[in-house]
Amino acid sequence: MTTHALQGSQTGKRWFYIGVIGAVAGIVGLIVDPERTWASWLHGALLPLTIAAGAAAFVAINHVSNAGWATTLRRIPEAMMNWIPIGGLILLIGAIGGVHLFGGGHATHGEDHGIRTAWLDPTFLIARLGVIIALWTWLGWRIRNASYAQDGDGDTRWTRILRNRSALFLVVFAITFTAASFDWI
């Protein structure tokens, strides 16, 4: 066995042990203080998701504005966009586990029971989260795939396609990120 193979297996074991320690800490946290644990999970899940979504917005803005300077570094934020579904899944797990943190849709005395109750309904909240993540993922993949196709054949029609897909992403992102900010934060 080579030295490189041994180092790889040691690194894998190290990450496995770190994962086990994290899982045990999470279980202990759920037992000791579930509300704080779920709130921490939700806030922690927002970090990779918003970085990935910001990378997608960066790529889309560059395509819409026809910014040639970003072509050389575009692959980095395009790779970061791959974290949207992963971050979304982590956030979805936290939202399902900590759905009680969102208020549960119960209006307090003197409030309108209709809109607030409907908006904060746990099922509707989880469904909105899923739809938003699915939209960001789908549009991000469409942009990235068109970018790779442009590199493959060099056809200039991809520039127009990328601009259109990016413009659509930015409109959807502006609306959904605003709504998601109220929901998730």
Side-chain angles (χ1 to χ4, degrees), residues 29-165:
L30 285 172
I31 293 168
V32 173
D33 191 354
E35 188 168 316
R36 182 174 289 182
T37 303
W38 284 120
S40 296
W41 180 286
L42 287 168
H43 285 117
L46 286 173
L47 179 67
L49 179 60
T50 54
I51 289 173
F58 174 79
V59 169
I61 288 169
N62 283 299
H63 284 302
V64 168
S65 65
N66 207 19
W69 64 268
T71 304
T72 57
L73 61 97
R74 184 173 62 213
R75 291 294 178 238
I76 297 168
E78 283 179 351
M80 293 166 68
M81 289 167 32
N82 290 330
W83 271 91
I84 292 174
I86 297 166
L89 180 63
I90 294 169
L91 185 66
L92 184 63
I93 291 167
I96 290 170
V99 75
H100 64 281
L101 299 173
F102 295 102
H106 303 294
T108 59
H109 179 68
E111 289 187 18
D112 179 14
H113 293 277
I115 295 172
R116 181 171 184 229
T117 302
W119 186 260
L120 292 177
D121 176 65
T123 304
F124 187 47
L125 184 85
I126 301 299
R128 276 195 317 273
L129 188 152
V131 167
I132 289 170
I133 297 304
L135 279 170
W136 291 356
T137 300
W138 180 71
L139 290 168
W141 281 345
R142 303 246 323 150
I143 291 169
R144 194 190 69 229
N145 290 342
S147 179
Y148 288 162
Q150 183 179 37
D151 284 353
D153 64 14
D155 193 348
T156 57
R157 73 181 171 91
W158 290 110
T159 302
R160 181 183 43 78
I161 291 169
L162 281 164
R163 189 176 304 123
N164 292 341
R165 289 180 182 177

